Amino acid sequence: MKENNIGYSIKRVEDHERVGWKAPLFNILGSNVAISELMVGGALVAGMTFKQLIATSIIGNLMLVFILILQGNIGMREGLDTYSLAESTFGLKGGKWIISLILAVTSFGWFGVQAGVAGLSLLRIFPNLNLTISVIVLGLLMMCFAVLGFSAMAKFNYLAVPPLIIMMIWGMFKALSANGFESILSYTPASQMTIVEGLNIVIGVVIVGTIISPDQLRYTRSLNDIVIISVIGFALISLFQQVSAGVLAMDSPSWDITEVLENLGFNWVAFLILLLAAWSTNVSNAYSGGLALNTVFPNMKRETLTIIAGLIGTAIAASGIIFKFQEFLGLLSMTISGIAGVMWVDYYILNKKSLNFKEGTNVVAVLSWIAAFVVSFLTDRYGIFIPPINAIIVGGLLYYLLMSIKERIKND
């Protein structure tokens, strides 16, 4: 652990500790080969044709690639996690007590969602089990793997990621055999969803992962590594999952992938794979939550804080957050997105690709982020463009404007 005059509380990953793209890619895949991506496909197909679903998924995931490259490049260049980088933009206190805590709560919430889906999957295998008790037991087991750290997570994900991909390919063949390709192409949803509404869902489900990507990408060596990871680990795998889940859900449109698979006649093996996928994702959620808490409480061990993160996430799972998935998703995208815009302007434009740690709280950064949240909330309410993207743009532009004004006042 390191606390120095530069200001970051987490040790920098030195050049000799970098591992390239392979291990970070599988850790990103462990996060992104996820039940939540399948939920997106089920939600989209409830209001879109097959062609609209594909177009929405491609556009949304290309936007996410752009966000991940900009954010992940900062982590790669500086070798620091998201929460230490936030201290540079929002101030040592502001980054620690505002941004890190918000991102920690986000990780706890995602842990709760994934543990909830794992519990639903287990109930499809053993219907007499109690959901709450199942979720608690699974959450505690998931937490234990996260405590082992980055390398152990990568090894676990090497095993956990392929089965879900195989299952979705299996499901696609099963759906094609039952309905035929022409039926899929001519599918008409019962209700209508606009592409902008669909983009909000596609971007909202993963945008937090792109913003906290420095947690994993600080172990990469170059921008090329970031590009490889973003294209494979986000764009292609997300497109595959969303389209596959959409096809599977055409006969019973629903965000609940366990219900969709049961209606298609899948057996216990499929639900065991879903459980494994949720497990791999939650390992990353608990790990990131522990890192966020480590910034707030630098004198405590990461392992201890990861346990705390897992316990909080398990409690949230037991509260039934899985049944509020879409509401949770909307709140996340509105709250988190503006952080990225402020960080990019501070790092790339104002400080010329360097960190400039500030004492206390950078009030201008905090106000810009709050304004971005308000804009995201209002544009979501009135259906104006894509709320998370609106937040990034407004947060970055306002921060640049206010910092420019502040600098002029200072120089006069």
Side-chain angles (χ1 to χ4, degrees):
M1 196 64 61
K2 186 176 182 179
E3 183 74 46
N4 59 23
N5 58 359
I6 298 178
Y8 43 80
S9 56
I10 304 296
K11 181 180 179 294
R12 183 185 192 277
V13 178
E14 301 297 342
D15 291 345
H16 70 276
E17 299 174 298
R18 305 299 178 99
V19 295
W21 60 267
K22 187 177 179 182
L25 171 62
F26 269 84
N27 279 345
I28 290 289
L29 284 172
S31 301
N32 207 27
V33 176
I35 311 304
S36 50
E37 291 278 20
L38 305 182
M39 290 176 173
V40 168
L44 292 178
V45 83
M48 289 186 163
T49 66
F50 181 65
K51 291 179 181 178
Q52 288 172 332
L53 188 157
I54 291 177
T56 302
S57 182
I58 290 174
I59 295 169
N61 284 299
L62 286 176
M63 290 180 174
L64 288 165
V65 165
F66 178 76
I67 295 170
L68 184 138
I69 289 174
L70 284 177
Q71 186 75 354
N73 185 53
I74 302 176
M76 181 274 296
R77 287 174 58 88
E78 304 300 335
L80 295 171
D81 64 35
T82 314
Y83 321 102
S84 300
L85 295 172
E87 290 183 352
S88 173
T89 301
F90 292 88
L92 298 181
K93 288 185 178 179
K96 179 180 293 185
W97 291 104
I98 300 174
I99 304 305
S100 291
L101 280 179
I102 288 170
L103 292 173
V105 171
T106 297
S107 295
F108 304 157
W110 268 125
F111 188 100
V113 168
Q114 297 294 335
V117 175
L120 290 174
S121 298
L122 193 61
L123 259 65
R124 302 291 181 186
I125 304 172
F126 304 106
N128 294 325
L129 292 177
N130 178 274
L131 177 60
T132 302
I133 294 175
S134 300
V135 163
I136 291 172
V137 172
L138 288 170
L140 294 176
L141 290 173
M142 292 168 176
M143 172 194 72
C144 293
F145 278 83
V147 173
L148 299 177
F150 179 86
S151 297
M153 285 167 55
K155 292 175 182 176
F156 179 76
N157 288 321
Y158 293 151
L159 299 175
V161 169
L164 184 65
I165 297 174
I166 293 170
M167 187 194 74
M168 295 311 295
I169 295 173
W170 172 28
M172 285 279 282
F173 277 111
K174 192 167 185 175
L176 285 169
S177 299
N179 300 320
F181 192 63
E182 289 298 324
S183 176
I184 291 172
L185 286 177
S186 61
Y187 168 79
T188 303
S191 59
Q192 291 296 318
M193 177 188 297
T194 67
I195 289 183
V196 170
E197 290 172 334
L199 287 173
N200 196 20
I201 295 175
V202 171
I203 293 171
V205 78
V206 182
I207 195 164
V208 174
T210 63
I211 291 172
I212 65 173
S213 62
D215 296 359
Q216 309 291 350
L217 301 184
R218 58 194 171 129
Y219 288 94
T220 56
R221 295 192 179 107
S222 68
L223 182 59
N224 286 339
D225 292 341
I226 304 293
V227 173
I228 291 171
I229 292 168
S230 64
V231 171
I232 298 175
F234 273 82
L236 294 180
I237 200 66
S238 294
L239 176 65
F240 168 73
Q241 290 178 98
Q242 290 161 11
V243 173
S244 298
V247 170
L248 296 183
M250 281 181 179
D251 290 333
S252 55
S254 172
W255 61 265
D256 185 354
I257 190 64
T258 63
E259 179 183 337
V260 171
L261 292 178
E262 186 175 57
N263 290 337
L264 287 171
F266 278 80
N267 61 26
W268 63 269
V269 174
F271 299 109
L272 188 62
I273 292 172
L274 286 184
L275 192 156
L276 189 64
W279 197 313
S280 71
T281 304
N282 260 1
V283 169
S284 295
N285 287 329
Y287 178 73
S288 290
L291 288 177
L293 290 178
N294 206 173
T295 306
V296 181
F297 307 105
N299 294 323
M300 294 182 67
K301 291 183 177 179
R302 181 197 62 81
E303 293 83 358
T304 302
L305 293 170
T306 302
I307 292 173
I308 292 172
L311 291 174
I312 296 173
T314 300
I316 292 174
S319 73
I321 192 175
I322 183 59
F323 299 109
K324 299 289 184 181
F325 171 69
Q326 288 183 313
E327 293 89 338
F328 171 72
L329 195 61
L331 180 62
L332 275 190
S333 64
M334 288 187 287
T335 305
I336 303 302
S337 305
I339 293 173
V342 177
M343 289 181 68
W344 297 348
V345 168
D346 190 74
Y347 183 79
Y348 288 109
I349 298 176
L350 299 182
N351 293 300
K352 311 299 182 185
K353 296 183 180 180
S354 64
L355 298 178
N356 179 20
F357 286 89
K358 307 159 185 70
E359 296 293 336
T361 299
N362 183 355
V363 177
V364 174
V366 174
L367 289 176
S368 299
W369 163 65
I370 292 173
F373 168 77
V374 172
V375 167
S376 185
F377 175 81
L378 292 175
T379 54
D380 178 68
R381 184 172 182 178
Y382 294 105
I384 302 172
F385 195 51
I386 306 166
I389 301 300
N390 297 341
I392 291 175
I393 295 171
V394 170
L397 288 177
L398 185 58
Y399 182 64
Y400 180 78
L401 177 63
L402 293 178
M403 288 298 287
S404 299
I405 294 172
K406 182 179 178 182
E407 187 66 24
R408 287 181 184 178
I409 293 172
K410 180 181 176 182
N411 292 332
D412 287 344

